[in-house]
Amino acid sequence: MTTASAIATDATVLFTELTGDAPAGLWSAPGRVNLIGEHTDYNDGFVFPFAIDARTVVALGPRDDGRIRVVSTFDETPVEVALADLDDLFPARRDEIVEWARYPLGVAWALLSAALLSGQDAAASATGVDLAIASDVPVGAGLSSSAAIEGATASALNDVWELGRTRVELAQAGRRAENEAVGAPTGIMDQMASMLGQADAGIFLDCRTLAAEVVELGFDAAGLELLVMDTQVSHAHSTGGYGERRAACEHGAAIMGVAALRDLSVADLPRAQQLMDDVTFRRVRHVVTEDQRVLDAVRTLRDEGSGAIGPLLDASHASMRDDFEISTPELDLAVEVARSAGAIGARMTGGGFGGAAIALIERSLVASASAAVEAAFAAAGFGAPHVFTVRPSEGARRDA
Ligand code: GLA
């Protein structure tokens, strides 16, 4: 992974090429790995992600014409609109904006419309801005490159527009951008992890109340590393399976007469099985058991340390593979090989249908496990995976 300062330099250079000036400031936010709790967030349930040491940096400078212009290392063609036009663009005309630019422009739109609703003058008087965005969070790997853009942009605009929003409110603006400006029906986990992350800690989040607890992970003390095995099979949640899974969960909740699957427990599953078709039941069983696994993982980690959560990671993967059916042959292979190479637990992470798997593994086994995964992918005729370790890191912040 590139160093944070190299990304900051990239953003600064891009900004200066765009404007001829130095930026007024730099803000950054990380991607995330979800340790456990998959597809539980939009069911009002529990998640336990952590922010990683790959970040997106936004270099920002004000302009005096009420326009917003964004440029990024994803695509150096600038996109520019009047702030006053954002409300017409999103969500109705979002297709007119190239996809990557919907993230930062969508955040600006979400923040301004929230300010307007709460009667803040900021909405009317917001100054125009130029933003240059650089990132080393892998795109399409299930590590929330999108939440990193949203978190860095929201933090920057919150400061320059003096909106006074809390970190949770900035996460909510990011989620609204993702849901309405991009059109991906995702939950709140990624934005919360990116905003609230802390070094060496996970964020135990109740997605109904948004109560968040910082839980020390102690990987270092236990001699453990978190290995990411990016299958390089890209996924997108604005299309296809993600929305279908979400609909199945809502259907299951309706059959059971509850507001969200969070309101069911493992003891309700036999009744659920009698009331619903097999596919809906298996979707429901994944979410209900996954919520329980998150609670168990946090308790186990606190009582016995991170070395004891392996079986819960393994069970989570099996549930996603067999009940929720969002794994892929590449993810299954990465998980199996990592385990045979000594990982204490492994699972796919993120929305699924591609992206990355994670393994919790002793430091001394990282090199041999990485080589084993690469060799197994080659033998299976899969494209080469990208295997690397990540560290639980700090959330969104102002860097300069
Ligand atoms: C994606 C979404 C999240 C969450 C996960 C699955 O990362 O952005 O909101 O639903 O998938 O746990």
Side-chain angles (χ1 to χ4, degrees):
M1 212 126 287
T2 337
T3 63
S5 63
I7 302 299
T9 305
D10 287 352
T12 306
V13 168
L14 203 56
F15 184 90
T16 304
E17 280 168 8
L18 180 72
T19 65
D21 276 329
L26 298 174
W27 289 258
S28 70
R32 65 98 188 91
V33 149
N34 188 16
L35 201 50
I36 195 160
E38 223 65 88
H39 287 263
T40 46
D41 61 353
Y42 57 79
N43 288 300
D44 273 4
F46 303 104
V47 294
F48 191 28
F50 64 83
I52 60 174
D53 52 337
R55 303 184 77 85
T56 294
V57 177
V58 165
L60 179 147
R63 44 191 285 166
D64 55 14
D65 59 359
R67 297 179 73 77
I68 178 167
R69 182 166 53 160
V70 292
V71 67
S72 81
T73 48
F74 307 108
D75 176 349
E76 295 195 9
T77 309
V79 177
E80 182 178 331
V81 299
L83 290 173
D85 288 343
L86 288 172
D87 235 5
D88 287 335
L89 274 173
F90 297 127
R93 289 166 45 215
R94 65 182 178 222
D95 291 348
E96 292 172 25
I97 303 288
V98 55
E99 189 169 352
W100 73 264
R102 293 179 207 161
Y103 293 92
L105 295 180
V107 167
W109 164 71
L111 286 174
L112 288 178
S113 54
L116 202 62
L117 272 180
S118 57
Q120 273 179 301
D121 288 346
S125 61
T127 161
V129 280
D130 283 316
L131 280 81
I133 302 170
S135 183
D136 70 346
V137 185
V139 173
L143 301 178
S144 291
S145 55
S146 54
I149 301 178
E150 291 153 6
T153 305
S155 304
L157 294 177
N158 187 47
D159 284 359
V160 291
W161 287 342
E162 298 180 358
L163 299 173
R165 296 283 154 186
T166 63
R167 282 177 179 264
V168 172
E169 288 169 332
L170 297 180
Q172 287 169 317
R175 183 200 180 174
R176 184 161 184 225
E178 185 126 2
N179 289 173
E180 296 180 43
V182 179
T186 51
I188 190 79
M189 166 171 72
D190 307 341
Q191 293 80 11
M192 289 291 277
S194 185
M195 289 307 306
L196 301 180
Q198 297 207 6
D200 200 28
I203 305 298
F204 170 40
L205 177 68
D206 179 334
C207 296
R208 172 168 278 167
T209 63
L210 297 188
E213 279 176 53
V214 176
V215 180
E216 202 179 315
L217 292 171
F219 290 163
D220 254 350
L224 295 174
E225 294 281 351
L226 202 292
L227 194 65
V228 174
M229 300 164 285
D230 175 3
T231 62
Q232 306 273 27
V233 179
S234 179
H235 73 290
H237 295 323
S238 47
T239 51
Y242 186 97
E244 282 168 24
R245 294 305 181 279
R246 191 172 174 148
C249 292
E250 282 161 12
H251 181 51
I255 292 174
M256 294 298 282
V258 291
L261 293 183
R262 148 71 176 277
D263 298 310
L264 300 181
S265 73
V266 173
D268 294 313
L269 289 175
R271 191 166 64 91
Q273 188 161 24
Q274 285 175 351
L275 294 178
M276 48 190 81
D277 64 89
D278 176 59
V279 170
T280 308
F281 171 65
R282 286 186 292 113
R283 305 300 188 245
V284 168
R285 182 167 61 187
H286 164 71
V287 173
V288 172
T289 56
E290 185 79 350
D291 267 335
Q292 187 60 49
R293 281 186 288 272
V294 175
L295 300 175
D296 292 347
V298 171
R299 197 195 53 239
T300 304
L301 203 136
R302 282 179 166 145
D303 292 351
E304 300 168 46
S306 46
I309 65 170
L312 290 162
L313 303 183
D314 293 346
S316 171
H317 185 77
S319 179
M320 286 188 285
R321 184 191 58 209
D322 303 335
D323 273 356
F324 219 58
E325 296 181 285
I326 55 171
S327 190
T328 63
E330 292 86 350
L331 289 165
D332 291 342
L333 183 65
V335 162
E336 276 161 35
V337 174
R339 257 185 233 140
S340 318
I344 62 169
R347 60 185 286 277
M348 53 147 285
T349 190
F353 306 104
I358 55 171
L360 194 56
I361 189 163
E362 268 178 40
R363 186 162 300 137
S364 61
L365 296 176
V366 164
S368 53
S370 306
V373 171
E374 282 157 6
F377 268 55
F382 296 155
H386 179 206
V387 185
F388 52 96
T389 58
V390 290
R391 305 183 81 75
S393 300
E394 196 188 336
R397 61 176 189 231
R398 181 166 188 166
D399 288 317

